[in-house]
Amino acid sequence: MSGGTGAALEARGLCKRFGGLTVTDDVSLTLAPGARHALIGPNGAGKTTLINLLTGVLAPSEGRVLLAGDDVTALPRHARARRGLARTFQINQLFPDFSPAEALAVAIAEREGLGADPLREAGSRGSIVAEIVDLLGRFGLLADMDRATRTLAYGKQRLLEIALALACRPRVLLLDEPAAGVPERERQDILAALAALPADVAILLIEHDMDLVFSFASRITVLVAGRILTEGPPEAIAFDPRVKAVYLGEDAHG
Amino acid sequence: MSAFASDEAARVSRHLLRRRRWRPLEIAAWLAPPALILIFPSRALLINEILILGLFALSLDLALGFGGLVSLGHAAFLGIGAYTAGILASRGVNDPLLGLLIASALAGLAGLVTAPLVLRGADLTRLMVTLGVSLLLGELANRNAWITGGADGLDFTVGRLFGVFALDFTGRRAAALYSFVVLFVLFALARRVMRSSFGQSVQAVRQSRLRAGALGVPANRRLIAIYGLAAAYAGAAGALIAETTQIVSLDIFDFHRSADVLLMLIIGGPGYLYGGLIGAAIFVGLRDLISGATPEYWEFWIGLLLVALVSVGRERVEAALARFARRPYLTRPGEAAP
Amino acid sequence: MLTILFDGVAYGMLLFVLACGLAVTLGLMNFVNLAHGVFAMGGGYITALLMNRAGVPFLATLPLAFLIPALAGLVLERLLYRWLYGASQLDQVLLTIGLVLMAVPAFDYFLTDQAQQIHLPAYLEGRIEFHGVSLGAYRLFLILVCGLIAALLQIFLVSTRFGAQLRAAVDDPRVAAGLGVDVERLFAVAFATGSGLAGLGGALAADVVGGVDPNFPIKFMVSFLIVVAIGGSRGIAGAFFGALLLGVLDVAGKYYFPSIGAFIIYAVMVTTLILRPQGLFAKGGA
């Protein structure tokens, strides 16, 4: 049965067990179109596992994933990507030998259904080139567009992660700690890029930096030990004593 | 001149199309083999061997250098191609081009069929499956002597190319030129396919399967396709061996064949299409040179070269060579082609 | 029928001693050592040369057939192999193919390409009648010796401190290192032992396979890989059953279906790898 709720992405009762260990325990989550949703929780709470379940890198032990109302639980990850589910990775997953322009060309060509074209190059298609230029410009990568990705500064690589996800023209975008490990002076670029993401894309942001989370999200889910502890608007989360307890440790109980 | 909306667009397009043009060095290199064949007809046999092994190594480059699929049994497809061409010729279908086409198609089909096996598991499983398949085929050819000639080998007569040029021993020059043209056509095709959206997505899968999948690239389907293409190329190389030597024997499936082609590709460097050709020239050239002095023992030196290459680190050697003599096609994206 | 089973078991046990070192290097270091057969060939040559040129009795040559390849293995491990433990399996394959390519002509150059035959002592020749079944004395000797080695290895792995460390390192080298296990030394010792056992296996195999010649490493590389493929790359027990299965299949196949010969074995190898990419006897799971 179809969801019919109008949600962009919906997780229903997701569970993931590795042997006897339950890393994701009955997680349900709904992203409305254009949502700005954050997922927080201490290290080891199972945030990245949840993203892997949503995108199809891992198969859930129980539960379902719905994308725009369609059940995609059985679909492989590339099929989910084609239906508008894009993500970035906590640890860069880029094409080290490709330049940013080449990587974006692959993403756009694939989205346009040209990925199996054995003869024509993306560089000879004006519309693809124009879109590459647009994305490079929006993420400040124009000057570095022809350098091998592995030679780029770390912050630029993080930006390319987001640019590649956007090149899929997603309906839903999962951002796994986009600012992790980025040095302070490059951090502003990431924040600006996040702020400028298209308003109609539903976004789930995983992040440890609370300033970033509270400035970005209009709704926050707190994940602890694989379970949802609570979910609500930022104000409610900020003053929730259970959340404080999780983050501050036992001291907060007093 | 500007078909693009902006200077940036023109720059990006130029960058993406930078490998399209044939560089002067490339053109010169491609003129060398036919010139050598015509000037030194007595060496035509040797040059023919280099050209065919170069095609075989190019085929492995498609699978390994571009698709990242290691193989210890690439000779399987060489053998399928050679036996197809040989059996066809021995049964009266002896037009060389027709034989080449059918051999290549059959080998390609075998590649597509076995590709799913190769995609499973890790590199180790891959190495063993490819090795196992080639041994299996060799044994199959051995046991079906009624059609393959078994251990005695299969000899036959191939017709004249276009009804004019004999490809047998009397037509050594024609045979070498035939191999050259086939190699060049297939190389030009590979060069184009690897630059295309398809080829780029295959390379994307090699570099990061996770990211490619997240971008919607169906990784397995792309790898199956490139493996099939590589197998078809190997089949063409096999057909050339059969047609220009007019004999096929079981050693075509040998582990040695698979190992040698891997060495050639590694010596020349995988991933930029010319590596296999350069490696084949070095390999056959070295063998010719060394075996003149100490026949039988020349492989020792190839082994030593390999051990040294791996011990020093292939990346380091390749980087040093790239700095030394800039490769015409490689010019990694970072080096901003002139 | 029983005789064939018996011969098959003997051959399988022999394969186990030959290949168990490879199973350990694969399981422990995840290292693809295609040059494993070189050590086996070395052991075969040591026994053959000592017997034929120096008149040393067969049994007395066996310790040397173990020790010298073990030492050679140790030296090569320290010199070449250890640098590639973390490297791609392609690089490992290339290095070890390179070693094979060097070893084959080297043995050929120094010792000619003639197969070196060995003449077994009289007490190991002939056949023994046992409940109506005719058993080759040397086959019986092989089963006893190889069975003893397998049992000793198993006891060693299960009940000694070194064995426990080795198994821990196989499961997770990083955790083992964190617990204070000197993984590097462990690797070196395991590698040397595996090479030594290959040498011993080569010496024992020399008679069965019709003498050792310089092409031994290439001819037997495939058999070793099949043992490991069937047995799974982890563990001595897997290799043991893989070797027995291969031995029996090979001998029986050649006897009952001479027309398809090696086909059966290759087919079993490929099928195993298709059905269970991790090996027939591997523990379940990814």
Side-chain angles (χ1 to χ4, degrees):
Chain A
M1 56 182 172
S2 171
T5 53
L9 177 74
E10 197 181 342
R12 288 188 188 164
L14 282 182
C15 291
K16 181 66 186 176
R17 285 180 284 272
F18 292 107
L21 188 69
T22 304
V23 272
T24 304
D25 190 357
D26 193 24
V27 169
S28 296
L29 193 71
T30 305
L31 292 193
R36 292 291 183 271
H37 199 124
L39 181 67
I40 64 171
N43 281 323
K47 300 184 295 288
T48 296
T49 304
L50 182 58
I51 288 223
N52 284 337
L53 290 172
L54 293 174
T55 51
V57 172
L58 294 172
S61 311
E62 274 171 51
R64 296 196 295 146
V65 178
L66 285 81
L67 198 53
D70 298 328
D71 191 333
V72 296
T73 317
L75 291 184
R77 52 192 132 139
H78 64 84
R80 296 187 201 197
R82 291 196 163 192
R83 285 170 172 246
L85 179 62
R87 71 174 291 186
T88 68
F89 293 85
Q90 185 186 350
I91 298 162
N92 280 341
Q93 296 292 335
L94 297 166
F95 307 124
D97 295 342
F98 277 171
S99 65
E102 286 171 316
L104 288 168
V106 168
I108 298 167
E110 200 62 52
R111 188 198 71 213
E112 295 292 313
L114 302 167
D117 183 335
L119 295 176
R120 243 185 113 177
E121 294 146 284
S124 67
R125 295 178 195 269
S127 62
I128 293 187
V129 171
E131 197 179 335
I132 294 174
V133 171
D134 175 49
L135 282 163
L136 288 170
R138 274 156 70 190
F139 289 90
L141 291 166
L142 262 175
D144 296 311
M145 65 95 185
D146 58 355
R147 290 179 52 194
T149 298
R150 74 185 121 73
T151 67
L152 296 181
Y154 183 71
K156 297 276 183 199
Q157 296 194 15
R158 291 312 277 168
L159 287 170
L160 181 56
E161 277 270 336
I162 305 172
L164 278 174
L166 265 199
C168 302
R169 289 218 182 125
R171 279 190 288 215
V172 179
L173 177 57
L174 312 178
L175 298 168
D176 196 349
E177 299 194 30
V182 178
E184 196 51 47
R185 71 200 139 71
E186 290 172 293
R187 200 175 172 79
Q188 286 311 315
D189 299 336
I190 306 268
L191 300 189
L194 290 183
L197 288 172
D200 58 338
V201 179
I203 295 173
L204 182 66
L205 170 76
I206 293 187
E207 189 50 71
H208 279 297
D209 181 332
M210 287 306 138
D211 291 340
L212 177 51
V213 166
F214 282 96
S215 68
F216 177 84
S218 55
R219 208 164 170 79
I220 297 176
T221 296
V222 185
L223 198 67
V224 178
R227 293 187 71 94
I228 292 182
L229 179 71
T230 179
E231 184 186 322
E235 315 79 65
I237 299 295
F239 296 106
D240 190 319
R242 291 172 303 167
V243 177
K244 274 193 185 155
V246 165
Y247 271 92
L248 301 178
E250 289 161 7
D251 298 351
H253 279 293
Chain B
M1 136 106 226
S2 176
F4 293 101
S6 63
D7 287 352
E8 280 91 5
R11 254 185 70 218
V12 167
S13 174
R14 237 188 355 261
H15 164 65
L16 290 176
L17 297 176
R18 71 195 180 285
R19 287 168 182 156
R20 188 183 242 186
R21 223 165 36 97
W22 292 82
R23 287 149 193 279
L25 184 61
E26 271 179 292
I27 296 168
W30 279 106
L31 289 175
L36 288 173
I37 294 166
L38 294 173
I39 300 168
F40 304 107
S42 62
R43 309 298 277 170
L45 224 54
L46 191 74
I47 297 172
N48 185 43
E49 191 185 357
I50 292 177
L51 294 169
I52 295 176
L53 289 177
L55 177 58
F56 188 31
L58 168 65
S59 135
L60 184 63
D61 198 9
L62 294 181
L64 175 61
F66 289 86
L69 298 170
V70 292
S71 170
L72 262 186
H74 210 53
F77 306 115
L78 187 76
I80 290 177
Y83 270 105
T84 304
I87 292 167
L88 282 175
S90 71
R91 306 270 153 147
V93 186
N94 61 5
D95 179 70
L97 276 181
L98 187 64
L100 181 77
L101 273 177
I102 297 176
S104 180
L106 265 183
L109 199 65
L112 292 177
V113 170
T114 53
L117 316 182
V118 176
L119 295 190
R120 294 181 52 127
D123 278 357
L124 176 63
T125 315
R126 218 165 267 166
L127 291 166
M128 293 211 258
V129 169
T130 49
L131 176 65
V133 168
S134 70
L135 294 171
L136 207 57
L137 285 171
E139 201 53 34
L140 208 61
N142 187 21
R143 297 295 158 184
N144 287 286
W146 59 278
I147 185 159
T148 64
D152 300 332
L154 181 70
D155 53 325
F156 45 85
T157 322
V158 173
R160 288 163 178 261
L161 182 62
F162 306 124
V164 182
F165 305 105
L167 299 177
D168 59 5
F169 194 70
T170 58
R172 275 176 297 181
R173 263 197 303 186
L177 286 172
Y178 169 57
S179 296
F180 170 76
V181 172
V182 172
L183 171 66
F184 178 72
V185 169
L186 289 180
F187 181 90
L189 182 70
R191 192 177 182 276
R192 170 134 201 188
V193 170
M194 287 307 112
R195 281 195 335 258
S196 72
S197 289
F198 165 75
Q200 293 294 108
S201 74
V202 167
Q203 296 176 60
V205 170
R206 185 199 70 225
Q207 293 174 61
S208 169
R209 226 180 150 122
L210 211 51
R211 166 56 77 183
L215 296 180
V217 180
N220 279 354
R221 250 181 285 161
R222 294 291 148 77
L223 292 181
I224 289 172
I226 194 71
Y227 196 69
L229 185 69
Y233 272 47
L240 288 180
I241 292 181
E243 292 173 349
T244 60
T245 61
Q246 317 235 341
I247 184 164
V248 185
S249 51
L250 288 172
D251 76 286
I252 196 101
F253 285 111
D254 262 6
F255 170 70
H256 249 283
R257 292 267 186 188
S258 301
D260 285 353
V261 73
L262 189 59
L263 306 193
M264 289 175 215
L265 180 60
I266 294 306
I267 291 171
Y272 70 104
L273 293 178
Y274 279 104
L277 313 192
I278 295 170
I282 294 177
F283 189 88
V284 176
L286 261 184
R287 190 196 61 199
D288 201 50
L289 213 74
I290 297 173
S291 64
T294 53
E296 309 288 315
Y297 306 125
W298 79 277
E299 284 199 328
F300 178 87
W301 302 104
I302 285 282
L304 188 64
L305 179 65
L306 205 60
V307 169
L309 193 65
V310 177
S311 298
V312 175
R314 284 192 293 130
E315 286 80 17
R316 259 185 281 171
V317 174
E318 274 166 30
L321 282 178
R323 251 179 281 130
F324 214 62
R326 180 170 289 182
R327 286 163 176 171
Y329 181 73
L330 182 65
T331 51
R332 289 222 152 135
E335 295 166 356
Chain C
M1 170 45 199
L2 276 177
T3 309
I4 289 162
L5 188 66
F6 179 75
D7 281 1
V9 169
Y11 185 50
M13 299 280 242
L14 187 60
L15 279 175
F16 168 72
V17 173
L18 279 164
C20 66
L22 186 63
V24 170
T25 31
L26 262 176
L28 189 58
M29 298 88 144
N30 202 17
F31 194 100
V32 187
N33 183 15
L34 296 184
H36 189 68
V38 172
F39 300 105
M41 170 172 72
Y45 266 109
I46 288 162
T47 289
L49 292 176
L50 283 175
M51 286 177 72
N52 298 344
R53 300 205 181 161
V56 181
F58 176 68
L59 289 182
T61 66
L62 294 183
L64 283 175
F66 173 84
L67 282 175
I68 296 175
L71 204 63
L74 190 63
V75 170
L76 280 177
E77 199 269 346
R78 289 288 88 187
L79 274 181
L80 296 173
Y81 282 72
R82 65 172 171 144
W83 305 110
L84 292 182
Y85 283 155
S88 73
Q89 294 192 318
L90 177 62
D91 276 323
Q92 299 168 354
V93 162
L94 292 171
L95 175 80
T96 53
I97 287 185
L99 289 176
V100 173
L101 288 183
M102 289 172 73
V104 171
F107 275 79
D108 190 338
Y109 181 77
F110 289 111
L111 299 161
T112 81
D113 61 350
Q114 296 296 309
Q116 298 280 329
Q117 306 290 343
I118 65 165
H119 299 284
L120 292 173
Y123 55 87
L124 287 176
E125 287 188 328
R127 307 189 75 81
I128 300 164
E129 289 294 325
F130 185 78
H131 289 288
V133 183
S134 164
L135 309 176
Y138 188 61
R139 299 289 194 281
L140 192 62
F141 171 76
L142 281 181
I143 291 185
L144 291 176
V145 171
C146 298
L148 187 68
I149 291 171
L152 282 176
L153 268 180
Q154 189 62 26
I155 292 169
F156 178 70
L157 282 176
V158 171
S159 54
T160 65
R161 196 174 129 75
F162 184 87
Q165 290 183 342
L166 197 64
R167 279 180 294 131
V170 170
D171 284 342
D172 195 331
R174 267 173 306 175
V175 171
L179 293 173
V181 176
D182 187 347
V183 174
E184 196 165 309
R185 203 185 56 122
L186 211 61
F187 281 7
V189 173
F191 191 91
T193 312
S195 307
L197 285 173
L200 182 60
L204 293 171
D207 176 66
V208 181
V209 300
V212 277
D213 65 73
N215 281 313
F216 186 93
I218 294 174
K219 274 193 286 187
F220 279 85
M221 185 189 74
V222 177
S223 300
F224 297 163
L225 287 177
I226 294 175
V227 169
V228 177
I230 298 178
S233 58
R234 304 214 146 181
I236 295 291
F240 184 73
F241 290 111
L244 279 189
L245 190 64
L246 176 64
V248 173
L249 271 179
D250 196 20
V251 172
K254 278 181 182 147
Y255 186 82
Y256 289 111
F257 310 101
S259 60
I260 44 175
F263 193 86
I264 300 179
I265 289 161
Y266 299 150
V268 167
M269 171 187 180
V270 172
T271 318
T272 308
L273 288 168
I274 291 168
L275 296 179
R276 297 283 308 267
Q278 307 297 326
L280 201 56
F281 296 100
K283 281 166 265 178

